[in-house]
PDB file of all heavy atoms in Angstrom:
ATOM      1  N   ILE C   1     -43.917 -13.825 -11.639  1.00  0.00           N
ATOM      2  CA  ILE C   1     -43.460 -15.018 -10.928  1.00  0.00           C
ATOM      3  C   ILE C   1     -42.867 -14.574  -9.594  1.00  0.00           C
ATOM      4  O   ILE C   1     -41.884 -13.835  -9.565  1.00  0.00           O
ATOM      5  CB  ILE C   1     -42.442 -15.805 -11.771  1.00  0.00           C
ATOM      6  CG1 ILE C   1     -43.114 -16.257 -13.077  1.00  0.00           C
ATOM      7  CG2 ILE C   1     -41.891 -16.993 -11.007  1.00  0.00           C
ATOM      8  CD1 ILE C   1     -42.208 -16.999 -14.022  1.00  0.00           C
ATOM      9  N   VAL C   2     -43.483 -15.037  -8.530  1.00  0.00           N
ATOM     10  CA  VAL C   2     -43.114 -14.558  -7.191  1.00  0.00           C
ATOM     11  C   VAL C   2     -42.786 -15.742  -6.287  1.00  0.00           C
ATOM     12  O   VAL C   2     -43.304 -16.847  -6.481  1.00  0.00           O
ATOM     13  CB  VAL C   2     -44.263 -13.727  -6.573  1.00  0.00           C
ATOM     14  CG1 VAL C   2     -44.534 -12.496  -7.411  1.00  0.00           C
ATOM     15  CG2 VAL C   2     -45.526 -14.574  -6.434  1.00  0.00           C
ATOM     16  N   PRO C   3     -41.891 -15.548  -5.301  1.00  0.00           N
ATOM     17  CA  PRO C   3     -41.573 -16.631  -4.359  1.00  0.00           C
ATOM     18  C   PRO C   3     -42.820 -17.078  -3.593  1.00  0.00           C
ATOM     19  O   PRO C   3     -43.696 -16.271  -3.268  1.00  0.00           O
ATOM     20  CB  PRO C   3     -40.541 -16.001  -3.426  1.00  0.00           C
ATOM     21  CG  PRO C   3     -39.974 -14.856  -4.192  1.00  0.00           C
ATOM     22  CD  PRO C   3     -41.095 -14.339  -5.045  1.00  0.00           C
ATOM     23  N   ALA C   4     -42.896 -18.378  -3.330  1.00  0.00           N
ATOM     24  CA  ALA C   4     -44.007 -18.950  -2.562  1.00  0.00           C
ATOM     25  C   ALA C   4     -43.453 -20.011  -1.626  1.00  0.00           C
ATOM     26  O   ALA C   4     -42.267 -20.366  -1.693  1.00  0.00           O
ATOM     27  CB  ALA C   4     -45.051 -19.543  -3.502  1.00  0.00           C
ATOM     28  N   ASN C   5     -44.297 -20.538  -0.779  1.00  0.00           N
ATOM     29  CA  ASN C   5     -43.851 -21.525   0.207  1.00  0.00           C
ATOM     30  C   ASN C   5     -43.252 -22.764  -0.450  1.00  0.00           C
ATOM     31  O   ASN C   5     -42.308 -23.363   0.059  1.00  0.00           O
ATOM     32  CB  ASN C   5     -45.021 -21.944   1.106  1.00  0.00           C
ATOM     33  CG  ASN C   5     -45.480 -20.803   2.005  1.00  0.00           C
ATOM     34  OD1 ASN C   5     -44.698 -19.906   2.312  1.00  0.00           O
ATOM     35  ND2 ASN C   5     -46.738 -20.844   2.421  1.00  0.00           N
ATOM     36  N   THR C   6     -43.794 -23.143  -1.588  1.00  0.00           N
ATOM     37  CA  THR C   6     -43.330 -24.348  -2.275  1.00  0.00           C
ATOM     38  C   THR C   6     -42.390 -24.059  -3.435  1.00  0.00           C
ATOM     39  O   THR C   6     -42.068 -24.965  -4.197  1.00  0.00           O
ATOM     40  CB  THR C   6     -44.544 -25.140  -2.798  1.00  0.00           C
ATOM     41  OG1 THR C   6     -45.311 -24.285  -3.660  1.00  0.00           O
ATOM     42  CG2 THR C   6     -45.411 -25.618  -1.635  1.00  0.00           C
ATOM     43  N   GLY C   7     -41.948 -22.823  -3.590  1.00  0.00           N
ATOM     44  CA  GLY C   7     -41.044 -22.470  -4.690  1.00  0.00           C
ATOM     45  C   GLY C   7     -41.418 -21.142  -5.297  1.00  0.00           C
ATOM     46  O   GLY C   7     -41.102 -20.089  -4.755  1.00  0.00           O
ATOM     47  N   PHE C   8     -42.161 -21.187  -6.424  1.00  0.00           N
ATOM     48  CA  PHE C   8     -42.601 -19.976  -7.096  1.00  0.00           C
ATOM     49  C   PHE C   8     -44.068 -20.114  -7.474  1.00  0.00           C
ATOM     50  O   PHE C   8     -44.543 -21.200  -7.809  1.00  0.00           O
ATOM     51  CB  PHE C   8     -41.783 -19.716  -8.370  1.00  0.00           C
ATOM     52  CG  PHE C   8     -40.337 -19.386  -8.111  1.00  0.00           C
ATOM     53  CD1 PHE C   8     -39.372 -20.382  -8.127  1.00  0.00           C
ATOM     54  CD2 PHE C   8     -39.938 -18.077  -7.857  1.00  0.00           C
ATOM     55  CE1 PHE C   8     -38.044 -20.089  -7.894  1.00  0.00           C
ATOM     56  CE2 PHE C   8     -38.620 -17.775  -7.626  1.00  0.00           C
ATOM     57  CZ  PHE C   8     -37.664 -18.781  -7.639  1.00  0.00           C
ATOM     58  N   ALA C   9     -44.780 -19.003  -7.424  1.00  0.00           N
ATOM     59  CA  ALA C   9     -46.179 -18.964  -7.846  1.00  0.00           C
ATOM     60  C   ALA C   9     -46.335 -17.984  -9.002  1.00  0.00           C
ATOM     61  O   ALA C   9     -45.529 -17.065  -9.168  1.00  0.00           O
ATOM     62  CB  ALA C   9     -47.079 -18.557  -6.678  1.00  0.00           C
ATOM     63  N   LEU C  10     -47.373 -18.174  -9.812  1.00  0.00           N
ATOM     64  CA  LEU C  10     -47.649 -17.317 -10.956  1.00  0.00           C
ATOM     65  C   LEU C  10     -48.888 -16.482 -10.656  1.00  0.00           C
ATOM     66  O   LEU C  10     -49.960 -17.034 -10.397  1.00  0.00           O
ATOM     67  CB  LEU C  10     -47.866 -18.143 -12.226  1.00  0.00           C
ATOM     68  CG  LEU C  10     -46.627 -18.726 -12.914  1.00  0.00           C
ATOM     69  CD1 LEU C  10     -46.044 -19.879 -12.106  1.00  0.00           C
ATOM     70  CD2 LEU C  10     -46.956 -19.210 -14.327  1.00  0.00           C
ATOM     71  N   HIS C  11     -48.727 -15.164 -10.700  1.00  0.00           N
ATOM     72  CA  HIS C  11     -49.832 -14.232 -10.505  1.00  0.00           C
ATOM     73  C   HIS C  11     -50.160 -13.582 -11.844  1.00  0.00           C
ATOM     74  O   HIS C  11     -49.342 -12.833 -12.392  1.00  0.00           O
ATOM     75  CB  HIS C  11     -49.471 -13.181  -9.455  1.00  0.00           C
ATOM     76  CG  HIS C  11     -49.309 -13.753  -8.074  1.00  0.00           C
ATOM     77  ND1 HIS C  11     -48.899 -13.003  -6.988  1.00  0.00           N
ATOM     78  CD2 HIS C  11     -49.514 -15.015  -7.589  1.00  0.00           C
ATOM     79  CE1 HIS C  11     -48.844 -13.783  -5.909  1.00  0.00           C
ATOM     80  NE2 HIS C  11     -49.203 -14.997  -6.252  1.00  0.00           N
ATOM     81  N   TRP C  12     -51.370 -13.843 -12.349  1.00  0.00           N
ATOM     82  CA  TRP C  12     -51.710 -13.447 -13.710  1.00  0.00           C
ATOM     83  C   TRP C  12     -52.392 -12.083 -13.787  1.00  0.00           C
ATOM     84  O   TRP C  12     -53.106 -11.665 -12.875  1.00  0.00           O
ATOM     85  CB  TRP C  12     -52.627 -14.504 -14.344  1.00  0.00           C
ATOM     86  CG  TRP C  12     -51.878 -15.748 -14.688  1.00  0.00           C
ATOM     87  CD1 TRP C  12     -51.732 -16.864 -13.910  1.00  0.00           C
ATOM     88  CD2 TRP C  12     -51.143 -15.987 -15.885  1.00  0.00           C
ATOM     89  NE1 TRP C  12     -50.950 -17.795 -14.555  1.00  0.00           N
ATOM     90  CE2 TRP C  12     -50.573 -17.290 -15.772  1.00  0.00           C
ATOM     91  CE3 TRP C  12     -50.913 -15.249 -17.042  1.00  0.00           C
ATOM     92  CZ2 TRP C  12     -49.796 -17.845 -16.771  1.00  0.00           C
ATOM     93  CZ3 TRP C  12     -50.130 -15.804 -18.046  1.00  0.00           C
ATOM     94  CH2 TRP C  12     -49.583 -17.082 -17.896  1.00  0.00           C
ATOM     95  N   LYS C  13     -52.156 -11.404 -14.912  1.00  0.00           N
ATOM     96  CA  LYS C  13     -52.844 -10.161 -15.229  1.00  0.00           C
ATOM     97  C   LYS C  13     -53.073 -10.132 -16.735  1.00  0.00           C
ATOM     98  O   LYS C  13     -52.345 -10.784 -17.507  1.00  0.00           O
ATOM     99  CB  LYS C  13     -52.019  -8.948 -14.786  1.00  0.00           C
ATOM    100  CG  LYS C  13     -50.584  -8.937 -15.303  1.00  0.00           C
ATOM    101  CD  LYS C  13     -49.748  -7.897 -14.585  1.00  0.00           C
ATOM    102  CE  LYS C  13     -48.275  -8.014 -14.993  1.00  0.00           C
ATOM    103  NZ  LYS C  13     -47.417  -7.097 -14.225  1.00  0.00           N
ATOM    104  N   GLU C  14     -54.065  -9.396 -17.141  1.00  0.00           N
ATOM    105  CA  GLU C  14     -54.364  -9.307 -18.567  1.00  0.00           C
ATOM    106  C   GLU C  14     -53.281  -8.486 -19.279  1.00  0.00           C
ATOM    107  O   GLU C  14     -52.683  -7.581 -18.692  1.00  0.00           O
ATOM    108  CB  GLU C  14     -55.734  -8.654 -18.785  1.00  0.00           C
ATOM    109  CG  GLU C  14     -56.878  -9.397 -18.119  1.00  0.00           C
ATOM    110  CD  GLU C  14     -56.949 -10.860 -18.516  1.00  0.00           C
ATOM    111  OE1 GLU C  14     -56.857 -11.144 -19.728  1.00  0.00           O
ATOM    112  OE2 GLU C  14     -57.098 -11.714 -17.629  1.00  0.00           O
ATOM    113  N   ALA C  15     -53.047  -8.843 -20.540  1.00  0.00           N
ATOM    114  CA  ALA C  15     -52.029  -8.147 -21.341  1.00  0.00           C
ATOM    115  C   ALA C  15     -52.640  -6.858 -21.893  1.00  0.00           C
ATOM    116  O   ALA C  15     -53.142  -6.826 -23.023  1.00  0.00           O
ATOM    117  CB  ALA C  15     -51.516  -9.052 -22.456  1.00  0.00           C
ATOM    118  N   ILE C  16     -52.605  -5.812 -21.080  1.00  0.00           N
ATOM    119  CA  ILE C  16     -53.221  -4.530 -21.457  1.00  0.00           C
ATOM    120  C   ILE C  16     -52.175  -3.428 -21.578  1.00  0.00           C
ATOM    121  O   ILE C  16     -52.126  -2.701 -22.572  1.00  0.00           O
ATOM    122  CB  ILE C  16     -54.297  -4.123 -20.426  1.00  0.00           C
ATOM    123  CG1 ILE C  16     -55.420  -5.183 -20.397  1.00  0.00           C
ATOM    124  CG2 ILE C  16     -54.860  -2.746 -20.747  1.00  0.00           C
ATOM    125  CD1 ILE C  16     -56.452  -4.938 -19.326  1.00  0.00           C
ATOM    126  N   ARG C  17     -51.308  -3.306 -20.563  1.00  0.00           N
ATOM    127  CA  ARG C  17     -50.333  -2.214 -20.563  1.00  0.00           C
ATOM    128  C   ARG C  17     -49.308  -2.418 -21.674  1.00  0.00           C
ATOM    129  O   ARG C  17     -48.684  -3.471 -21.793  1.00  0.00           O
ATOM    130  CB  ARG C  17     -49.633  -2.140 -19.213  1.00  0.00           C
ATOM    131  CG  ARG C  17     -50.511  -1.610 -18.093  1.00  0.00           C
ATOM    132  CD  ARG C  17     -49.762  -1.540 -16.790  1.00  0.00           C
ATOM    133  NE  ARG C  17     -48.467  -0.856 -16.938  1.00  0.00           N
ATOM    134  CZ  ARG C  17     -47.612  -0.686 -15.934  1.00  0.00           C
ATOM    135  NH1 ARG C  17     -47.907  -1.156 -14.726  1.00  0.00           N
ATOM    136  NH2 ARG C  17     -46.467  -0.063 -16.133  1.00  0.00           N
ATOM    137  N   SER C  18     -49.116  -1.392 -22.500  1.00  0.00           N
ATOM    138  CA  SER C  18     -48.228  -1.520 -23.662  1.00  0.00           C
ATOM    139  C   SER C  18     -46.787  -1.777 -23.257  1.00  0.00           C
ATOM    140  O   SER C  18     -46.076  -2.555 -23.917  1.00  0.00           O
ATOM    141  CB  SER C  18     -48.319  -0.270 -24.533  1.00  0.00           C
ATOM    142  OG  SER C  18     -47.950   0.883 -23.800  1.00  0.00           O
ATOM    143  N   ASP C  19     -46.317  -1.138 -22.172  1.00  0.00           N
ATOM    144  CA  ASP C  19     -44.924  -1.328 -21.777  1.00  0.00           C
ATOM    145  C   ASP C  19     -44.668  -2.767 -21.346  1.00  0.00           C
ATOM    146  O   ASP C  19     -43.636  -3.352 -21.674  1.00  0.00           O
ATOM    147  CB  ASP C  19     -44.532  -0.347 -20.672  1.00  0.00           C
ATOM    148  CG  ASP C  19     -45.407  -0.484 -19.436  1.00  0.00           C
ATOM    149  OD1 ASP C  19     -46.553  -0.961 -19.563  1.00  0.00           O
ATOM    150  OD2 ASP C  19     -44.937  -0.106 -18.340  1.00  0.00           O
ATOM    151  N   GLU C  20     -45.610  -3.374 -20.634  1.00  0.00           N
ATOM    152  CA  GLU C  20     -45.455  -4.763 -20.219  1.00  0.00           C
ATOM    153  C   GLU C  20     -45.516  -5.706 -21.414  1.00  0.00           C
ATOM    154  O   GLU C  20     -44.758  -6.686 -21.488  1.00  0.00           O
ATOM    155  CB  GLU C  20     -46.537  -5.138 -19.203  1.00  0.00           C
ATOM    156  CG  GLU C  20     -46.410  -4.423 -17.867  1.00  0.00           C
ATOM    157  CD  GLU C  20     -47.523  -4.780 -16.915  1.00  0.00           C
ATOM    158  OE1 GLU C  20     -48.625  -5.150 -17.380  1.00  0.00           O
ATOM    159  OE2 GLU C  20     -47.296  -4.677 -15.697  1.00  0.00           O
ATOM    160  N   CYS C  21     -46.396  -5.418 -22.356  1.00  0.00           N
ATOM    161  CA  CYS C  21     -46.509  -6.258 -23.553  1.00  0.00           C
ATOM    162  C   CYS C  21     -45.243  -6.195 -24.392  1.00  0.00           C
ATOM    163  O   CYS C  21     -44.741  -7.223 -24.878  1.00  0.00           O
ATOM    164  CB  CYS C  21     -47.709  -5.829 -24.392  1.00  0.00           C
ATOM    165  SG  CYS C  21     -49.317  -6.145 -23.623  1.00  0.00           S
ATOM    166  N   ILE C  22     -44.705  -4.997 -24.567  1.00  0.00           N
ATOM    167  CA  ILE C  22     -43.482  -4.841 -25.357  1.00  0.00           C
ATOM    168  C   ILE C  22     -42.322  -5.573 -24.702  1.00  0.00           C
ATOM    169  O   ILE C  22     -41.543  -6.263 -25.368  1.00  0.00           O
ATOM    170  CB  ILE C  22     -43.159  -3.336 -25.541  1.00  0.00           C
ATOM    171  CG1 ILE C  22     -44.199  -2.681 -26.441  1.00  0.00           C
ATOM    172  CG2 ILE C  22     -41.752  -3.152 -26.113  1.00  0.00           C
ATOM    173  CD1 ILE C  22     -44.082  -1.174 -26.506  1.00  0.00           C
ATOM    174  N   GLN C  23     -42.212  -5.459 -23.394  1.00  0.00           N
ATOM    175  CA  GLN C  23     -41.135  -6.129 -22.681  1.00  0.00           C
ATOM    176  C   GLN C  23     -41.260  -7.646 -22.819  1.00  0.00           C
ATOM    177  O   GLN C  23     -40.270  -8.344 -23.073  1.00  0.00           O
ATOM    178  CB  GLN C  23     -41.157  -5.739 -21.207  1.00  0.00           C
ATOM    179  CG  GLN C  23     -40.013  -6.360 -20.401  1.00  0.00           C
ATOM    180  CD  GLN C  23     -40.061  -5.948 -18.940  1.00  0.00           C
ATOM    181  OE1 GLN C  23     -41.043  -5.388 -18.475  1.00  0.00           O
ATOM    182  NE2 GLN C  23     -38.995  -6.222 -18.217  1.00  0.00           N
ATOM    183  N   ALA C  24     -42.478  -8.159 -22.664  1.00  0.00           N
ATOM    184  CA  ALA C  24     -42.689  -9.595 -22.781  1.00  0.00           C
ATOM    185  C   ALA C  24     -42.407 -10.085 -24.186  1.00  0.00           C
ATOM    186  O   ALA C  24     -41.734 -11.106 -24.391  1.00  0.00           O
ATOM    187  CB  ALA C  24     -44.122  -9.946 -22.372  1.00  0.00           C
ATOM    188  N   LEU C  25     -42.894  -9.367 -25.196  1.00  0.00           N
ATOM    189  CA  LEU C  25     -42.698  -9.775 -26.583  1.00  0.00           C
ATOM    190  C   LEU C  25     -41.231  -9.726 -26.987  1.00  0.00           C
ATOM    191  O   LEU C  25     -40.755 -10.587 -27.730  1.00  0.00           O
ATOM    192  CB  LEU C  25     -43.536  -8.900 -27.516  1.00  0.00           C
ATOM    193  CG  LEU C  25     -45.044  -9.144 -27.477  1.00  0.00           C
ATOM    194  CD1 LEU C  25     -45.773  -8.068 -28.246  1.00  0.00           C
ATOM    195  CD2 LEU C  25     -45.369 -10.516 -28.044  1.00  0.00           C
ATOM    196  N   SER C  26     -40.491  -8.723 -26.492  1.00  0.00           N
ATOM    197  CA  SER C  26     -39.079  -8.627 -26.837  1.00  0.00           C
ATOM    198  C   SER C  26     -38.300  -9.818 -26.307  1.00  0.00           C
ATOM    199  O   SER C  26     -37.346 -10.286 -26.928  1.00  0.00           O
ATOM    200  CB  SER C  26     -38.488  -7.322 -26.302  1.00  0.00           C
ATOM    201  OG  SER C  26     -38.488  -7.307 -24.886  1.00  0.00           O
ATOM    202  N   LEU C  27     -38.722 -10.346 -25.162  1.00  0.00           N
ATOM    203  CA  LEU C  27     -38.052 -11.516 -24.602  1.00  0.00           C
ATOM    204  C   LEU C  27     -38.435 -12.776 -25.359  1.00  0.00           C
ATOM    205  O   LEU C  27     -37.599 -13.641 -25.631  1.00  0.00           O
ATOM    206  CB  LEU C  27     -38.404 -11.658 -23.120  1.00  0.00           C
ATOM    207  CG  LEU C  27     -37.579 -12.647 -22.295  1.00  0.00           C
ATOM    208  CD1 LEU C  27     -36.089 -12.326 -22.394  1.00  0.00           C
ATOM    209  CD2 LEU C  27     -38.028 -12.609 -20.839  1.00  0.00           C
ATOM    210  N   ILE C  28     -39.689 -12.871 -25.753  1.00  0.00           N
ATOM    211  CA  ILE C  28     -40.160 -14.044 -26.485  1.00  0.00           C
ATOM    212  C   ILE C  28     -39.406 -14.238 -27.793  1.00  0.00           C
ATOM    213  O   ILE C  28     -39.033 -15.347 -28.165  1.00  0.00           O
ATOM    214  CB  ILE C  28     -41.671 -13.931 -26.779  1.00  0.00           C
ATOM    215  CG1 ILE C  28     -42.476 -14.059 -25.480  1.00  0.00           C
ATOM    216  CG2 ILE C  28     -42.121 -15.001 -27.779  1.00  0.00           C
ATOM    217  CD1 ILE C  28     -43.949 -13.737 -25.665  1.00  0.00           C
ATOM    218  N   VAL C  29     -39.192 -13.147 -28.535  1.00  0.00           N
ATOM    219  CA  VAL C  29     -38.597 -13.268 -29.863  1.00  0.00           C
ATOM    220  C   VAL C  29     -37.072 -13.194 -29.829  1.00  0.00           C
ATOM    221  O   VAL C  29     -36.427 -13.240 -30.869  1.00  0.00           O
ATOM    222  CB  VAL C  29     -39.131 -12.183 -30.823  1.00  0.00           C
ATOM    223  CG1 VAL C  29     -40.626 -12.301 -30.970  1.00  0.00           C
ATOM    224  CG2 VAL C  29     -38.751 -10.788 -30.327  1.00  0.00           C
TER     225      VAL C  29
END
């Protein structure tokens, strides 16, 4: 989630890297 002219924009990437997945999952639960 990055700043944009109208507020914030979402830049997507596939859930491949284990460190990013673990960080995201830990926040979800």
